Amino acid sequence: MSDTAAHHDEDAARLAALGYTSEFKRDMSLWANFSLGFTYLSPVVGIYSLFGLLLPVAGPPMIWSLVIVGIGQFLVAQVFSEVVAQYPIAGGVYPWARRLWGRRWAWMAGWIYLAALLSTIASVVYGAGPYLSFVLGVEPSTAATIACALGLIVFATFINLAGTRVLALAAIAGFAAEIVGALAVGAWLLLTHREQTLSIFTDSFGAGAGSYVPAFLAASLLGIYQYYGFEACGDVAEEVPNPGKRIPTSMRRTIYIGGAAAIFVTMALLLSISDFGAVISGEDTDPVGTVLVDAFGETGTRVVFVVILLSFISCAMSLQAAASRLTYSYARDDMIFGSRILKKFSQTRHVPPYAMLGAALIPAAIVIGSQWMPGKALTLIISFGSLGIYVAFQMVVFAALRARVKGWRPSGAFTLGSWGMPVTVAALVYGVSAIFVLVKYTAAAEGAWYERYSLGVSAVVVIAVGLVYMLVSRPHERSDAPHGDAIDAELNPLEHQRRARQIENL
């Protein structure tokens, strides 16, 4: 038997000991798994989507939000790495919460995370609309942005339906596009079009006049939106050989490399702006476009935008992959309406096609609905997506903390050892603080009440709908799949021995 076959048999045995038999193919290498997380985190998408919107709010010091949030999310990634190393099951947040706490907690965590993922897909393709319009020579408008966004959803869905191997290749290609878009463009700007000194990183240029702290916290959406995506490495755990070891490595690399690239892109753009006064005052509403046209000319900018678009497409593709695996994981445990359809699996492509279609149709509906909130659509969609993902993340972190207090000690291929408890506590404190900032400071400051409070209201509605559905339909009672056993298995050595024998027998 070859080493590869032996690894696959060992992975299948470990998954069987966790209560599941996978239909996925383990075709995703460590490099492809990292690329999936990197393109989901996507420094190019995150920065190019929000740079022009947030620079007038807080000025150049907004770059420090990338450093602060990067440190906080690294702590969260460490907690996730311990959990996925012990529970390498497709779907990520949902199965992790299920094993750490139980079915009800897991259902709500997965519900919130799924709603946020679908919203984030919509925000990514919506943010790509202006760039695609420019490349195609179409006059930017709400209608054009929506049409372009829908086209990108169709393309990303086509790639995902082609199977794990094609997804892996597309993720690597997307990573290459990200590197060109981030490093090559940034380096060119710094070498040929630098207009400012490093002192600008502590100069607000009049932004946030009167009270700068709220302005900086509002602009922290730049960092908060940037640093998630590492969890996608674990969403496809059943498609990665030796996932308990490789996925934690991919998660850490996603934070290291993605964060460094995001900071570099932001720094290059800031140092290349010649007139911050025009940006802060609102006279220059597209500082990214202004910088790129000045540095590359119209034809060169069109080429750069093509590269940027590839980053948007690969990001949307990675998000869809994560959302479809979560949906499939839910449906496999009969935890959501339509489970009979959503858990169907294509034996030809080795993907869940109906779960994938759901990850296309719902974001498309959000994009179409955005026409009734022009001007604020991107910020509102991004804010809700970020908030939902942060809430779901912290539900897993809190579950891990609770499990630790009750006796759980991670036993996967990656553990934090004695650092586990302090890192988990710090990750929870950071996450709750980020949620507070999102709700209080990043909502629309002007407009009707439903615009100012739409972020908090939308989150409450999603949670309320999930609670009502869970209480009425009781989906968490439909499956006897393993749940809440992290603590029990830790406290009961016989359970460990039973599972070890089961792995050996398989």
Side-chain angles (χ1 to χ4, degrees), residues 10 15-17 51 62 96 100 141 157 170 185 252 279 317 329 352 370 372 379 394 401 408 423 435 479 493:
E10 183 178 340
L15 189 63
F51 186 89
M62 71 176 185
W96 300 340
L100 290 170
S141 65
T157 304
V185 173
R252 294 193 300 275
V279 177
M317 172 195 70
S329 183
S370 69
W372 287 284
T379 301
Q394 294 315 304
L401 178 60
W408 175 59
V423 167
I435 291 169
S479 170

Side-chain angles (χ1 to χ4, degrees), residues 199-322:
S199 63
I200 65 167
F201 298 132
T202 57
D203 188 343
S204 67
F205 289 90
S211 181
Y212 184 72
V213 172
F216 178 79
L217 292 175
S220 67
L221 179 61
L222 182 75
I224 290 172
Y225 181 59
Q226 180 62 68
Y227 282 100
Y228 53 86
F230 57 86
E231 81 282 2
C233 301
D235 289 339
V236 294
E238 294 175 28
E239 296 162 76
V240 180
N242 195 11
K245 182 177 181 180
R246 290 185 173 183
I247 291 174
T249 300
S250 296
M251 285 184 174
R252 294 193 300 275
R253 288 181 181 176
T254 298
I255 294 288
Y256 300 150
I257 301 174
I263 293 171
F264 181 74
V265 169
T266 305
M267 180 181 70
L269 289 172
L270 289 172
L271 291 173
S272 300
I273 292 175
S274 59
D275 188 356
F276 278 105
V279 177
I280 303 300
S281 67
E283 181 182 345
D284 182 358
T285 58
D286 183 18
V288 172
T290 300
V291 166
L292 294 179
V293 171
D294 288 347
F296 295 97
E298 187 167 334
T299 300
T301 300
R302 197 178 299 273
V303 174
V304 172
F305 278 13
V306 169
V307 175
I308 293 172
L309 273 173
L310 291 176
S311 300
F312 275 90
I313 293 170
S314 60
C315 181
M317 172 195 70
S318 299
L319 282 159
Q320 274 194 329

Side-chain angles (χ1 to χ4, degrees), residues 349-399:
R349 301 296 182 185
H350 295 279
V351 294
Y354 296 104
M356 186 67 65
L357 289 176
L361 295 176
I362 296 176
I366 295 172
V367 168
I368 293 171
S370 69
Q371 63 186 302
W372 287 284
M373 47 179 176
K376 297 184 177 69
L378 183 59
T379 301
L380 292 175
I381 295 171
I382 285 175
S383 297
F384 171 73
S386 300
L387 177 62
I389 285 178
Y390 267 69
V391 170
F393 276 18
Q394 294 315 304
M395 290 183 73
V396 174
V397 174
F398 185 62

Side-chain angles (χ1 to χ4, degrees), residues 18 21 40 44 49 65 82 134 149 164 280 290 312 359 382 418 434 439 441 468 475 484:
L18 293 173
T21 300
Y40 176 167
V44 169
S49 292
S65 72
E82 283 195 310
F134 184 89
T164 300
I280 303 300
T290 300
F312 275 90
I382 285 175
S418 60
V439 173
Y441 294 104
V468 170

Side-chain angles (χ1 to χ4, degrees), residues 340-355:
R340 187 174 61 85
I341 297 296
L342 294 173
K343 67 183 177 183
K344 287 185 178 296
F345 202 86
S346 169
Q347 297 300 328
T348 303
R349 301 296 182 185
H350 295 279
V351 294
Y354 296 104

